Amino acid sequence: MEKTVKIEEYNPDWVSEFHQEKARIMEVLKNDEHIGSTSVMGLGAKPILDIMAGVQHLAEADAFIEPLKSIGYEFVPHKEFPERRFFRKGQWRAGTHHLHIYRFGSEQWKNQLSFRDYLRSHPDVRKQYQQLKMFLAEKHPADIVGYTKAKAPFILNVMESAKGG
C-alpha cells in the first residue's frame, strides 16, 4: 500500500528517533549522519528518517545487506545512483527510515551534508523549501517519485548557492 505524500510540522522527536536508530545501525556500520528534512530543526517533513553512512569503498556495503536485514532494512538497488547504496525500513513506498550509504568523504557525501547545513543556517531558504514541499505534496499526493523529481531543481539551486556559485 502506497502512502500519500504528507508534510508534517517539525517534530522534535525526530532527533531522538534518529539517535535510537543510529544505535542499531552503529552495531553494523561505523560512520553515519542524520540527513534529509527531518535533520533540519523547524523544517516540515515527511516522517521518514534519512540516515547517511560512510564506507571507505562502496563495495563494502554489500557486506551489510544481511546484517541490516536483521534490524529491518531491505536493500533497494538503484541503477540511476551508482555511487550510493540504499536501504529502506518499512513498507515499499511507505518506509519509515531510509539509509543511504556513500563513500565517506565523496562528493555525494559532502553534498548531502552541505545541503542539510545550508538549510540549517539559512532560515529564509528553509522556509522557501518548506513552502515548496507543501505545494508539491498537494500537487503529487500519491506520487512520491513525482514529488521528489519536482524538488530537484530547488535542491540543485541551493547546492550551487552552498558552493558559492
Side-chain angles (χ1 to χ4, degrees), residues 4-116:
T4 58
V5 178
K6 181 182 173 204
I7 304 300
E8 296 183 5
E9 291 291 320
Y10 177 78
N11 182 340
D13 291 342
W14 290 334
V15 174
S16 62
E17 287 179 34
F18 164 72
H19 288 291
Q20 290 170 13
E21 197 64 19
K22 177 181 177 177
R24 286 188 281 275
I25 293 169
M26 286 300 288
E27 293 176 15
V28 178
L29 307 175
K30 295 184 178 21
N31 301 309
D32 62 0
E33 289 279 346
H34 188 187
I35 60 171
S37 295
T38 60
S39 70
V40 181
M41 189 181 305
L43 180 62
K46 298 183 310 295
I48 299 170
L49 291 180
D50 281 287
I51 301 167
M52 179 173 69
V55 292
Q56 290 301 318
H57 303 283
L58 205 49
E60 293 172 43
D62 294 341
F64 300 132
I65 293 173
E66 288 304 313
L68 286 168
K69 190 176 186 178
S70 74
I71 60 170
Y73 283 86
E74 177 186 357
F75 174 60
V76 182
H78 282 285
K79 292 178 185 173
E80 64 272 22
F81 299 106
E83 298 301 316
R84 177 189 78 172
R85 298 298 178 265
F86 179 74
F87 295 81
R88 181 194 69 247
K89 187 174 189 177
Q91 295 178 349
W92 177 249
R93 299 242 190 250
T96 58
H97 299 75
H98 291 167
L99 175 61
H100 312 260
I101 300 180
Y102 295 100
R103 189 174 53 77
F104 184 79
S106 67
E107 185 166 341
Q108 294 82 8
W109 175 273
K110 291 175 187 172
N111 285 344
Q112 290 291 334
L113 295 178
S114 181
F115 182 67
R116 177 200 66 189

